[in-house]
Amino acid sequence: MDDKLIIRGIEFQSRLWVGTGKYKDFEETRKAVEASGADVVTVAVRRVNIVDRNSENLLDYIDPRKYKILPNTAGCYTVEDALRYSRLAREAGISDLIKLEVIGDEKTLFPDVCGLLKATEILAKEGFIVLPYTNDDPIIAKRLVDAGAAAVMPLGAPIGSGLGIRNPYNIKIILETVNIPVIVDAGVGTASDATIAMELGCDAVLINTGIAGAQDPIAMAGAMKHAVIAGRLAYKAGRIPKKLYATASSPIEGML
């Protein structure tokens, strides 16, 4: 696609970003990432080995020369843990990019927005390019911008739920509220969900479970690739207004 996504001067080729959890093995992960066409791959620093090069490592299968590795702080329930794993990823030479998660509840995996704001401000001051996972609250999104976030990543639905975009109206308000990229993160279950997110005007979609949990992850990765492209093209093309009554496809003026 011609319109590249750019965040803090970094150019991204694909508007589909993918996760690396829940696959049966690293080889399936590799095949799904390749089929997705994504150039951003997110990895949980505290759950997946990307630091110790002396043992089997995800980066043996996902070439960091080909893909942008986006470390994330999944599984962190405190600001201190989120800061620790963010710094570990950078010290290991992975990236200044960080997908920041500060989880507030083990059952719902909803973000702790107070902790998220605090961690975003600290990491932004340390020079990280912070991409915080947040809820679909436009006010919090604005506060994250003020704290130094490079993009905001509102959930479409709870993590891993596959429920799709449950509140498109809030997502639309966030898009109108902030002046940085908006990337839907969590809840996408199938291709149509990804298309809806892109048709709303979101800059990208991050998907993990929707691909890894499919009966055929490789095929679903390809479906998500085309869904994101279609949704972006539809958004740029501009949909017709919704009307209550029918409108003839062919003009009737001048007909005998």
Side-chain angles (χ1 to χ4, degrees), residues 49-210:
N49 175 30
I50 56 172
V51 177
D52 182 8
R53 302 297 289 161
N54 295 317
S55 59
E56 187 178 37
N57 191 302
L58 177 65
L59 300 187
D60 295 330
Y61 296 82
I62 306 297
D63 187 349
R65 295 169 298 182
K66 180 178 179 181
Y67 300 100
K68 293 179 177 67
I69 306 300
L70 175 60
N72 71 61
T73 59
C76 292
Y77 287 82
T78 67
V79 171
E80 292 72 23
D81 268 357
L83 296 176
R84 181 182 304 114
Y85 284 100
S86 298
R87 292 162 179 161
L88 177 63
R90 183 158 74 175
E91 289 168 7
I94 305 301
S95 180
D96 286 335
L97 288 163
I98 190 73
K99 179 187 172 232
L100 180 62
E101 298 185 28
V102 182
I103 302 301
D105 176 69
E106 188 173 356
K107 182 177 181 180
T108 64
L109 300 180
F110 285 142
D112 172 358
V113 294
C114 294
L116 185 66
L117 284 166
K118 182 178 179 181
T120 297
E121 186 172 12
I122 293 170
L123 291 173
K125 288 179 178 178
E126 293 181 8
F128 282 87
I129 301 171
V130 187
L131 314 176
Y133 156 73
T134 182
N135 57 22
D136 58 359
D137 182 340
I139 305 304
I140 294 299
K142 181 62 170 65
R143 296 288 181 268
L144 288 166
V145 173
D146 296 340
V152 290
M153 305 184 72
L155 54 81
I159 292 174
S161 67
L163 290 172
I165 311 301
R166 303 314 303 158
N167 196 337
Y169 307 105
N170 272 26
I171 298 294
K172 192 67 176 175
I173 295 171
I174 290 173
L175 287 161
E176 295 173 356
T177 301
V178 304
N179 58 357
I180 58 176
V182 175
I183 302 166
V184 164
D185 176 19
V188 171
T190 190
S192 57
D193 299 332
T195 301
I196 289 170
M198 298 306 295
E199 287 179 346
L200 286 170
C202 293
D203 296 278
V205 179
L206 193 155
I207 305 171
N208 187 176
T209 306

